[in-house]
Amino acid sequence: MTLVKWNSNGNANPAFSNLLENFFGKDLGEFVGRDYATTTPAVNVVETKENFTVEVAAPGLKKENFQINLNNNLLTIASTYEKSNEEANGKYTRKEFGYTSFQRSFTLPTTVDSSKIEASYKEGILYVYLPKREEAKEKPARQINIS
């Protein structure tokens, strides 16, 4: 027995059939474009001797689009961006709008000095700097003399 895809309209209008199949078979973001999807950007966390750095890839956004909150030891990075475009030309008006948002939360280790957290946004990447407490910083190796 072979499974055969059935088309209820008898292929009377294959273009319409393909449109419906594409619409219902894909994620909304894939069908209508990135501006209409809720996305979660890629995040890198880099640890050095002095600090942790959280790097959030968010090209096209502005620093005003971000909210960074610290509640106890939970760091939350969020962004909301709305875009609207309206074009009027004689007999018709075309209006398109988009909404993009994301939120990422991170539980900070006790080694982070939360009073010194800073952030910057450069060339599409949000950087959040999480300095380590002095007592948590890696100390250089030293030799212990025997008495």
Side-chain angles (χ1 to χ4, degrees):
M1 176 178 231
T2 305
L3 291 176
V4 177
K5 195 174 208 178
W6 181 70
N7 186 345
S8 63
N9 68 8
N11 286 330
N13 189 346
F16 181 71
S17 181
N18 287 340
L19 175 68
L20 287 177
E21 183 177 309
N22 285 339
F23 181 78
F24 290 109
K26 290 185 176 181
D27 178 46
L28 181 62
E30 290 178 57
F31 184 75
V32 297
R34 188 169 193 268
D35 289 339
Y36 296 92
T38 300
T39 59
T40 304
V43 173
N44 294 327
V45 179
V46 179
E47 181 179 9
T48 66
K49 292 178 183 180
E50 301 293 318
N51 62 25
F52 295 94
T53 303
V54 178
E55 303 170 341
V56 181
L61 296 180
K62 298 177 182 174
K63 70 179 185 178
E64 296 83 25
N65 298 124
F66 295 99
Q67 301 86 40
I68 303 172
N69 295 306
L70 181 63
N71 185 3
N72 293 321
N73 67 337
L74 186 67
L75 178 75
T76 302
I77 301 169
S79 177
T80 303
Y81 174 70
E82 295 180 51
K83 182 171 94 173
S84 157
N85 183 19
E86 186 171 333
E87 179 182 319
N89 188 354
K91 297 181 182 180
Y92 71 91
T93 299
R94 182 183 75 146
K95 184 174 184 178
E96 294 183 6
F97 61 93
Y99 181 83
T100 302
S101 68
F102 74 85
Q103 179 175 313
R104 299 288 304 262
S105 294
F106 305 90
T107 301
L108 300 182
T110 57
T111 57
V112 170
D113 185 349
S114 61
S115 66
K116 296 182 180 176
I117 295 174
E118 295 181 355
S120 66
Y121 184 72
K122 298 175 192 163
E123 299 178 6
I125 299 177
L126 175 69
Y127 298 92
V128 181
Y129 306 101
L130 310 166
K132 292 181 181 178
R133 296 180 189 276
E134 282 303 317
E135 62 271 14
K137 292 181 182 176
E138 199 174 295
K139 309 289 188 267
R142 64 183 180 96
Q143 184 168 351
I144 309 292
N145 293 326
I146 303 171
S147 56

